[in-house]
Amino acid sequence: MGSAAQPALELDSVSFGYGTGAVLADLSLGLREGEFVSLLGPSGSGKSTVLRLLAGLEIPQRGHIRHRGKPVTGPGIDRGVVFQDYSLFPWMTLTENVVLAIGKAHPQLDRKQRRELAEEYLELVGLADAHGKYPQELSGGMCQRGAIARALAMGAPVLLMDEPFGALDPVNRTRLQDLLLEVWNSSRPARTIVFVTHDVDEAILLADRVVVLGACPGRIIADLDVPIPRPRPRRQTYLLPEFQDLRKAVTEYLQGDMLQRLSAADTVAEAEGI
Amino acid sequence: MSQVRVSGLASLAFADLPASASRPAQTTRRLTARLSGKEGWCLLVGLLLLWQLVAWVVPARNRFLFPSPLLTAQALWASLFELGKGTLSSFIILIPGYAAAVVAGVVLGILAGTTRWLERLTVPFTRVVAPVPPTVYVPYAIALLPGFRSAAIAVVFIGAFWPIFVNATAGAASVPQRLRDNARVLGLGKAEYLRRVVFPSSLTHIFSGMSVGLAMSFIMLTVAELFGANAGLGRFVQFYADFADYPRMVAGILFTGAVTFVCMRALDRVRRRALFWQR
């Protein structure tokens, strides 16, 4: 998938479920080193589960997950995670949160160096003035900036983001998308990013590749490259025919999946005499 | 935070009801909100007045059994120094016993709440031993341990330990999934996870255990002192009861109540400071 080289991050015919219900059925997906992939899908399509599997927070019932060829058996500091909210511990200041992560990723640094590095990353995400604040003193957007700073400070080559901007207002959302792209563009070697979202525009604007998941059980129904060169200034990009075509295609896939499920539900209902 | 959510849910629930049904609930809520302020003190003053009234009505030959507030206040003033000394003596027992219970209860509770086999190991004890009223240990502890002081410290420890331990276990076992995930993706080791995530996350539970434990340790302290102390608050009450000096005895009871109240308030202060991030 994607390239002939060995994928950096890979799900190999993975199945996963809670109890008897299957969340993911025989799902395979490979990411190149430095690739930015959006995972898009309706709720119940298991897109967050894919992310949790990649993070090592869940173990698949069947199949394998590999990072740079090595099997993923649990969480590791080589894969940074940003959750939708609550990525920060409420009883620690922003700096303390980031310092805690740095301490795990760079144990050779002393206390002062960890602090300096943390403040550097907070400055990078535009939180220079807020480093002594506690998460509940900050807005949702600032907390997510902090969470991104924490993930970046860990220096992980893989960034797994689970609807990180889903709870933000449109203005903050736009700003943080720009920030994420800026950070991703400026770091060498580029980080591999898996970005879970249910916003089609966001998925296309950010990613090299959009993977669309269908629901019940979760499976890949489309895997589309985004043929738009970077940088992608928002206003011009939205008007590009490539963007609009892709948007239409993705939306159709999502609707198709939904209609299929609705008709399946009807059939079940009829069979049960409802 | 959870309290906010609960009240939010409550208002949602009320929103579904017709206006007439929600009115009494609102009235009680308004009443309790008002009583929590200065009205509580007014009630106290009212009760004192009632006490004085009753003391006037009581026939003269029974007055020594039922001292008036004025007489009690005089007795309190007269024995203030003795009571102060008694408090000191009581605290020498209370503080080590309670502090040891806090440390042991929190450490063991956090370990039991996060380690499956340890939790299974402690379940029979928490089910069978913890509910035994710890006052039953007092005579045996006094017989078993060298000196009254060590015995009293031991029973204060036992009384305070169980509520703290049980609450710390519950708190450690209910660390929210999102915090556990967070700790795991950061690659925190077990010790760091317990210290920096489980402990702060369990603090709400720990503090409710600590306030039950503090009340328990006062009970254990005074009971132990009734048995065999030669100083202390419980001893004061017992001593003057034996001599039928009821004004002093009642003064001792009131003073003990005041000391308990001050300690509970101090603990509440500490709790609010430690849980600053929940507001």
Side-chain angles (χ1 to χ4, degrees), chain A residues 52 86-87 90-91 104 136 150, chain B residues 181-182 187 192 196 200 277:
Chain A
R52 291 177 66 81
Y86 302 117
S87 285
W91 48 81
K104 300 316 292 180
Q136 65 278 11
R150 190 185 74 174
Chain B
D181 286 348
N182 223 329
E192 209 167 1
R196 304 208 61 178
W277 46 270

Side-chain angles (χ1 to χ4, degrees), chain A residues 102-157:
Chain A
I102 291 175
K104 300 316 292 180
H106 312 287
Q108 74 284 0
L109 298 179
D110 66 32
R111 194 178 278 247
K112 194 168 159 258
Q113 287 169 318
R114 287 177 196 181
R115 223 184 156 72
E116 279 167 5
L117 193 62
E119 274 162 20
E120 228 168 86
Y121 276 103
L122 287 172
E123 202 171 320
L124 179 75
V125 298
L127 287 176
D129 301 329
H131 52 80
K133 295 242 167 83
Y134 288 90
Q136 65 278 11
E137 298 175 309
L138 304 170
S139 67
M142 286 164 104
C143 283
Q144 283 315 75
R145 279 168 198 267
I148 291 172
R150 190 185 74 174
L152 294 175
M154 289 171 72

Side-chain angles (χ1 to χ4, degrees), chain B residues 192-240:
Chain B
E192 209 167 1
Y193 170 62
L194 292 181
R195 193 167 58 84
R196 304 208 61 178
V197 179
V198 179
F199 173 66
S201 169
S202 321
L203 271 180
T204 322
H205 281 86
I206 288 172
F207 272 105
S208 66
M210 275 171 70
S211 83
V212 177
L214 186 60
M216 275 311 287
S217 27
F218 269 101
I219 294 171
M220 297 309 295
L221 171 81
T222 37
V223 169
E225 283 177 347
L226 294 182
F227 269 83
N230 49 24
L233 291 171
R235 160 72 180 167
F236 182 96
V237 172
Q238 180 68 44
F239 184 82
Y240 288 106

Side-chain angles (χ1 to χ4, degrees), chain A residues 52 55-57 75-77 79 81 83 86-92 96 100-101 104 134 136 150 154, chain B residues 1 5 177-189 192 196-198 200-201 276-279:
Chain A
R52 291 177 66 81
L57 289 169
I77 50 174
R79 283 154 285 136
V81 184
F83 299 101
Y86 302 117
S87 285
L88 305 169
F89 295 113
W91 48 81
M92 297 182 200
E96 284 167 353
L100 181 67
K104 300 316 292 180
Y134 288 90
Q136 65 278 11
R150 190 185 74 174
M154 289 171 72
Chain B
M1 206 192 250
R5 208 172 299 148
Q177 168 96 38
R178 53 193 164 80
L179 294 178
R180 276 183 282 148
D181 286 348
N182 223 329
R184 287 178 68 200
V185 301
L186 290 182
L188 296 189
E192 209 167 1
R196 304 208 61 178
V197 179
V198 179
S201 169
F276 68 95
W277 46 270
Q278 285 199 336
R279 274 174 284 154

